[in-house]
Amino acid sequence: MIDRATAWLEHDPDDATRTELADLVAAARSGDAAARADLDSRFAGPLEFGTAGLRGRVGAGESRMNVAVVVRATAGLAGHLRDTVGADATVVVGCDARHGSSAFMDAALEVLSGAGLRAIALPEQLPTPVTAYAVRALDADAGIMITASHNPAADNGYKVYLGGRATDPDGAGVQIVPPADAQIAARIAAAPPADAIARSTEHIAKADASVVDGYIARMAGHRRSRMPSTVRVVLTPMHGVGGTTALRVLAAAGIPDVHPVTAQFRPDPDFPTVAFPNPEEPGALDLAIARAREIGADVVVALDPDADRCSVAIVGRDGHWRQLSGDEIGALLGEQAAADDSRPGETLACSIVSSRLLGSIAAAHGLRFAQTLTGFKWIARTPGLRYGYEEAIGYCTDPDAVRDKDGIGAAVRIISLVEELAAADQTLQDQLDQLARTHGLHATATLVFRVDDPESIADAMARLRSAPIAAFAGSPVVESRDLEDGGAGLQPTDGLLYRTAADDRVIVRPSGTEPKLKCYLEVIMRGEDVPHAAAAERITALTADVTALLGL
């Protein structure tokens, strides 16, 4: 491993990571066991480029996110674009505020320019949805976003969109899918060492201010009233880059009563007030909810660090603040979209692990419904899409403008819904209760098993595949599907789906971006009196059975 590290070191174009790695190699040569183990980790193999692009810890080495890795990845993308589009391809590049993001963005721009492509630089530290918007607004052939979204502070990533001439109309401005990911990965593998890749600034142009202004105006337009909103909002961008842009959008939308969580407002790559920078994590919204209690807010809106996801908290039936689940928000926004005939598109879509409620909503409004694999790379390319969501608090409410999840656009939609319901003396909770009465109570829960050894995930999946499961929560299993076999309009993926006679559903799948196993549970209970307690009991029973089966 020392030889591999030394060879990498000789071609690392970045002073900081070159020094970091040189010190580590020297320590390993002197017999330092910890340094040898660290080298083993940093050279466990190249970061894999797939449909999530690249994502990993920031640091020196082929298995980390660094300038050398970004240079070679961008060279691979540039080669792919030259092959498929031509030497006049245009690429938009943006970045968040994580460790290394600015340097990675500069490196990507310079490699694109060095390859003779036109590189458009967005202002730094902007939300991911702005990059997705820019790809479509500028009819660019690709977009690069330097971000690790809601991953831990040590991570960064590299996300790729294709657009313009590089893909089909349904995929314009959407994240890459096969076979493009494999084609780009092959180009990356064949790329020369990072210091041998041409870089220049000749073909780099700064994005016109109209791009960001256009995004702000478009998202603000989701609220149609010309009168100032009376909804009092608490907003947290979770130490990420969404705060300033969200405030501009909300102000332009006529939503003035917005109270940021000061301790979490400025971008900070160390995310000091949260254990994980993900609004879904327990405790992540504590500061926001405390602020909401203090000022008597109507709603809490939480964005993840790159602002492509949105979480919501409200006052529940018991008078206490509670965080809505991703499926609850998905249903609220889905009903809003379905009832609005002015929106283009005739299809509502969600990932297979999301609640089945959206399908019932679509049917009730005479709309089409599509179920896709997990991830907006699949959801957003649904033909005729009006609205799409995934349970992991991702919502696409304006696919003509942003073909990806967009936390800021979703925030305007949800605040507008709070306002519209209040005019009828109703709340989001009232709306959820009405949906349950109409379509049945769809109770969902997600179990997440984080692991240190990724092999334990593969072992758990192998155990499930090796033996049939007779029942969950006392109800016989009537459907068992291995999602690796594909079918039902879905591409093959690593996952297992079970449905019981009681119509409970369990889906088990490994995360595509982190070392964890995720289990998605859903119970449907019907009746005029919405049986929340009974649904909770069934979810508890499912949880116990799944946990015991996995042994994690």
Side-chain angles (χ1 to χ4, degrees):
M1 201 60 70
I2 291 177
D3 290 342
R4 286 178 66 181
T6 301
W8 180 273
L9 179 60
E10 291 174 356
H11 299 289
D12 190 337
D14 182 65
D15 290 341
T17 49
R18 197 166 53 247
T19 299
E20 177 187 344
L21 190 55
D23 291 344
L24 197 57
V25 168
R29 280 182 173 147
S30 70
D32 186 326
R36 284 181 175 272
D38 197 356
L39 282 182
D40 287 344
S41 172
R42 292 170 186 260
F43 290 88
L47 283 182
E48 291 187 6
F49 187 91
T51 50
L54 297 169
R55 199 171 289 188
R57 291 184 63 186
V58 175
E62 67 176 6
S63 305
R64 298 283 190 265
M65 279 294 298
N66 50 63
V67 169
V69 166
V70 168
V71 164
R72 296 186 76 245
T74 308
L77 174 62
H80 174 77
L81 291 173
R82 288 179 68 94
D83 286 346
T84 57
V85 174
D88 61 339
T90 297
V91 185
V92 177
V93 185
C95 76
D96 65 10
R98 282 179 176 266
H99 292 295
S101 284
S102 179
F104 300 164
M105 178 177 176
D106 288 345
L109 288 164
E110 291 171 8
V111 171
L112 293 167
S113 176
L117 307 188
R118 181 172 178 242
I120 301 177
L122 290 168
E124 293 188 11
Q125 299 190 7
L126 283 179
T128 291
V130 175
T131 300
Y133 170 83
V135 173
R136 289 179 65 85
L138 298 174
D139 196 25
D141 298 300
I144 298 171
M145 181 65 192
I146 306 297
T147 181
S149 190
H150 57 284
N151 270 40
D155 291 359
N156 211 328
Y158 181 104
K159 180 182 289 189
V160 175
Y161 299 90
L162 293 181
R165 297 164 295 172
T167 187
D168 61 279
D170 289 328
V174 185
Q175 296 174 57
I176 55 172
V177 296
D181 57 344
Q183 292 165 353
I184 296 170
R187 277 286 193 171
I188 295 170
D195 63 345
I197 292 171
R199 295 167 65 173
S200 81
T201 58
E202 180 182 358
H203 303 291
I204 299 174
K206 290 185 177 179
D208 189 85
S210 63
V211 176
V212 178
D213 291 346
Y215 171 82
I216 289 168
R218 179 79 182 216
M219 296 308 114
H222 293 168
R223 180 175 180 267
R224 295 173 182 171
S225 173
R226 296 180 179 272
M227 299 296 292
S229 173
T230 59
V231 177
R232 178 164 290 180
V233 182
V234 166
L235 170 71
T236 175
M238 206 68 65
H239 299 293
V241 295
T244 298
T245 302
L247 287 182
R248 288 185 64 188
V249 169
L250 295 178
I255 303 170
D257 198 358
V258 182
H259 302 260
V261 177
T262 304
Q264 296 177 332
F265 189 77
R266 293 184 180 278
D268 186 333
D270 293 319
F271 308 108
T273 68
V274 292
F276 289 95
N278 181 353
E280 291 183 290
E281 293 287 338
L285 265 60
D286 286 355
L287 292 179
I289 290 174
R291 180 69 172 141
R293 291 194 189 102
E294 178 186 327
I295 66 169
D298 298 303
V299 65
V300 167
V301 172
L303 306 174
D304 76 336
D306 69 330
D308 65 348
R309 299 169 191 255
C310 172
S311 189
V312 175
I314 62 170
V315 176
R317 299 181 201 83
D318 59 1
H320 294 98
W321 281 88
R322 77 175 185 92
Q323 185 173 359
L324 298 182
S325 72
D327 283 317
E328 287 177 316
I329 302 168
L332 290 167
L333 292 175
E335 175 66 24
Q336 181 190 51
D340 186 354
D341 290 337
S342 70
R343 295 201 205 178
E346 69 289 338
T347 303
L348 308 186
C350 65
S351 63
I352 191 172
V353 300
S354 301
S355 173
R356 290 167 283 177
L357 177 54
L358 189 66
S360 295
I361 291 171
H365 288 272
L367 297 174
R368 297 175 182 170
F369 172 66
Q371 202 171 53
T372 76
L373 293 183
T374 304
F376 268 84
K377 58 184 175 284
W378 300 111
I379 297 168
R381 64 183 63 244
T382 301
L385 182 65
R386 179 184 296 189
Y387 164 76
Y389 95 95
E390 63 181 3
E391 54 75 39
I393 58 173
Y395 311 96
C396 177
T397 71
D398 186 2
D400 280 1
V402 178
R403 285 263 164 166
D404 199 0
K405 52 191 177 291
D406 182 354
I408 295 174
V412 177
R413 298 282 196 193
I414 205 76
I415 294 167
S416 298
L417 182 57
V418 170
E419 183 179 16
E420 292 160 9
L421 289 169
D425 198 28
Q426 291 190 320
T427 65
L428 294 183
Q429 185 61 64
D430 292 329
Q431 180 81 318
L432 287 169
D433 289 345
Q434 181 57 50
L435 288 172
R437 284 190 289 271
T438 303
H439 304 288
L441 174 61
H442 291 62
T444 61
T446 304
L447 301 180
V448 179
F449 298 90
R450 294 182 181 274
V451 299
D452 294 325
D453 179 13
E455 285 300 316
S456 63
I457 294 176
D459 292 343
M461 294 297 291
R463 284 197 303 274
L464 291 180
R465 287 187 167 103
S466 66
I469 296 173
F472 281 111
S475 180
V477 170
V478 295
E479 180 184 8
S480 180
R481 289 171 53 194
D482 191 333
L483 301 180
E484 277 194 339
D485 297 332
L490 301 176
Q491 297 286 327
T493 190
D494 188 5
L496 296 164
L497 181 151
Y498 306 93
R499 188 173 60 83
T500 71
D503 209 16
D504 300 338
R505 190 186 67 178
V506 175
I507 299 177
V508 183
R509 62 174 283 270
S511 168
T513 57
E514 297 177 82
K516 59 188 183 184
L517 190 66
K518 302 184 77 171
C519 308
Y520 306 86
L521 317 179
E522 182 176 35
V523 167
I524 302 177
M525 305 194 77
R526 307 183 189 280
E528 186 63 27
D529 296 324
V530 182
H532 292 275
E537 289 177 5
R538 289 197 66 80
I539 287 287
T540 299
L542 284 177
T543 299
D545 285 355
V546 171
T547 302
L549 274 170
L550 291 174
L552 295 176

